[in-house]
Amino acid sequence: MPLDALEVIVEAGLAMLTSGAEVARVEDTMARLANAYHIAPVDVVAMPTALFVAGPDGQSLVKRIQHRSVNLAVVAEINQISRDVAKNPVPLAEFRQRLEAARQLAVYPPWATIVFAAIAAGLISQLMGGHLVDVLPAAVSGALTQMTRRGISHTQIPANLGDMMAAVVATLPALFLARFGEFQPGAILVGGIMVLTPGLLFTTAVRDGIAGDLVSAVSRLLEALLIGGSVAAGASLTLYIYLNMGGRWP
Amino acid sequence: MITQSLFAGLTTIAFGFLYQVRASLLWISGVIGAIAWAASMAVHLMPGAGLLGDFAGAFVVGSLAELAALWKKKPVTIFVVPAIISFVPGYLVYESMVAFLKNNFNAGLHFGLTAVFAAAALGLGLALATALLRPLLRPHHFLNVR
């Protein structure tokens, strides 16, 4: 029985970690859950790429994390479940059920995220020196970027290459409109690309750093830099070809 | 300035939707984003403020997010991540990229390094806000341990 409970707790921690929660929060949540199910002593080591749990009687579980994404809904939901369970320990089966539901949780459907990406890109182009005419092209760019990223995330293509391809797509509306004087192609391009910014990774890296989880802080900073690098590479690739073909760019 | 803050707040909300934050919590992030943008712009009015504006903005985001997290009993990240996006120096990175592509290495380095320092200012603002406010808001976590 204890191994059973331990496994469910590890599942909860794993789901939080793959959705982008801070290491301290993952360890905290798992300790809280272990406490609720009277598993003691439990020691948890969480990293962005691996999760180690040492339970009682020398039982231990090691999980490798291959896929990471951004889903704050999952983090918030499992955090809530762990608080509920700590107050009122429900049977393990029921907890497993709630966990399964939380792991699949997506508050908004896929088509809606494309609309949100479009709105976000259109709005942020206004903060990046764009004028009102740039809202629509930037929105198109954001929508295309999100569509590309979603499409690629279901394939076997490595995540960094996918970000690069999404950045290539993001530049297209700006490149088509650069020849007309009334648009600010820079604002359009940045609007589309901002959809890809690793904001969560950066924030989590900072918070991990303060909490003293140095391995996690460094690896998340590296991941954010790699994503930023691939996005910049993708965007400069198309821009380079365009400029060398004699295209106009303000 | 008010329009810009409004845009920052709306941007925050749009990015919050993109990161799957629930609408019932998202208006708080929006308000945080708008206030932080206004604070950052107010600091920018000072002559020679430089990157202090980014630092102030991130500090406001971090502090208000800590308060909101305590109030709503939710992870701080939910409020921080959408609100910090408007401050990401995307335009500087873009300008650096274009300068490099046009063989303008001095300008490219200038914009690129400014972007790196802006990101560092954001990180410092967030870090200081958390480091200062957490012990004040949640003293039970920091006393009585061991």
Side-chain angles (χ1 to χ4, degrees):
Chain A
M1 194 301 255
L3 190 62
D4 218 27
L6 201 63
E7 249 169 16
V8 185
I9 291 167
V10 169
E11 284 297 312
L14 211 56
M16 289 184 86
L17 213 48
T18 50
S19 308
E22 308 102 294
V23 160
R25 179 178 307 285
V26 174
E27 291 174 357
D28 215 45
T29 306
M30 289 175 71
R32 194 184 297 147
L33 286 171
N35 197 25
Y37 287 108
H38 307 293
I39 309 172
V42 164
D43 219 348
V44 182
V45 179
M47 273 179 241
T49 51
L51 183 61
F52 306 84
V53 182
D57 313 327
Q59 295 166 330
S60 65
L61 285 170
V62 179
K63 294 276 179 184
R64 174 88 170 85
I65 296 162
Q66 309 267 17
H67 263 285
R68 287 175 298 276
S69 67
V70 177
N71 192 336
L72 291 176
V74 174
V75 177
E77 188 64 21
I78 295 181
N79 188 57
Q80 192 57 49
I81 294 176
S82 85
R83 280 171 195 278
D84 293 349
V85 167
K87 259 190 222 132
N88 166 34
V90 293
L92 212 53
E94 194 186 328
F95 174 54
R96 200 189 285 263
Q97 238 170 23
R98 283 188 68 181
L99 189 63
E100 202 50 47
R103 279 201 328 182
Q104 309 295 334
L105 188 70
V107 183
Y108 310 107
W111 62 266
T113 63
I114 293 171
V115 176
F116 295 142
I119 297 171
L123 284 170
I124 208 158
S125 72
Q126 298 302 298
L127 297 176
M128 300 290 162
H131 299 166
L132 276 178
V133 278
D134 302 319
V135 171
L136 200 62
V140 171
S141 173
L144 284 175
T145 310
Q146 177 71 5
M147 272 156 72
T148 315
R149 181 164 65 167
R150 280 202 70 86
I152 289 174
S153 69
H154 297 302
T155 65
Q156 291 295 314
I157 299 171
N160 279 313
L161 194 61
D163 287 334
M164 198 171 142
M165 284 155 79
V168 166
V169 173
T171 56
L172 296 181
L175 291 181
F176 279 123
L177 294 174
R179 73 184 74 182
F180 306 109
E182 57 263 38
F183 294 101
Q184 280 70 41
I188 300 172
L189 198 155
V190 176
I193 277 179
M194 285 298 257
V195 173
L196 299 169
T197 38
L200 178 71
L201 278 170
F202 181 70
T203 314
T204 317
V206 170
R207 296 182 62 81
D208 277 342
I210 318 170
D213 298 311
L214 299 181
V215 174
S216 169
V218 168
S219 54
R220 279 185 162 133
L221 211 54
L222 179 69
E223 196 179 359
L225 279 178
L226 281 178
I227 293 176
S230 24
V231 169
S236 29
L237 183 70
T238 43
L239 204 54
Y240 179 71
I241 295 170
Y242 176 81
L243 286 174
N244 275 351
M245 278 164 46
R248 179 188 174 274
W249 195 266
Chain B
M1 184 165 158
I2 292 168
T3 359
Q4 284 254 315
S5 303
L6 203 65
F7 272 126
L10 290 175
T11 307
T12 303
I13 292 177
F15 271 99
F17 276 124
L18 193 57
Y19 293 143
Q20 307 272 350
V21 181
R22 280 180 195 285
S24 51
L25 295 169
L26 210 48
W27 66 270
I28 305 172
S29 307
V31 172
I32 292 175
I35 295 175
W37 192 266
S40 155
M41 285 187 77
V43 172
H44 259 302
L45 292 179
M46 273 177 9
L51 294 173
L52 198 61
D54 290 280
F55 170 78
F59 187 79
V60 171
V61 168
S63 322
L64 292 180
E66 288 285 344
L67 290 173
L70 192 69
W71 173 35
K72 287 285 177 186
K73 299 264 182 299
K74 294 281 180 218
V76 187
T77 356
I78 285 188
F79 305 103
V80 174
V81 176
I84 205 76
I85 292 279
S86 335
F87 290 96
V88 172
Y91 202 76
L92 283 170
V93 173
Y94 154 79
E95 280 197 292
S96 148
M97 197 178 87
V98 171
F100 275 124
L101 287 179
K102 287 184 170 170
N103 269 330
N104 202 345
F105 279 71
N106 276 331
L109 275 178
H110 173 251
F111 286 127
L113 271 180
T114 315
V116 170
F117 286 139
L122 291 182
L124 193 63
L126 286 180
L128 265 183
T130 309
L132 287 178
L133 274 174
R134 265 191 111 73
L136 287 178
L137 292 177
R138 300 163 193 234
H140 54 278
H141 278 216
F142 290 87
L143 307 173
N144 309 328
V145 260
R146 273 181 282 271

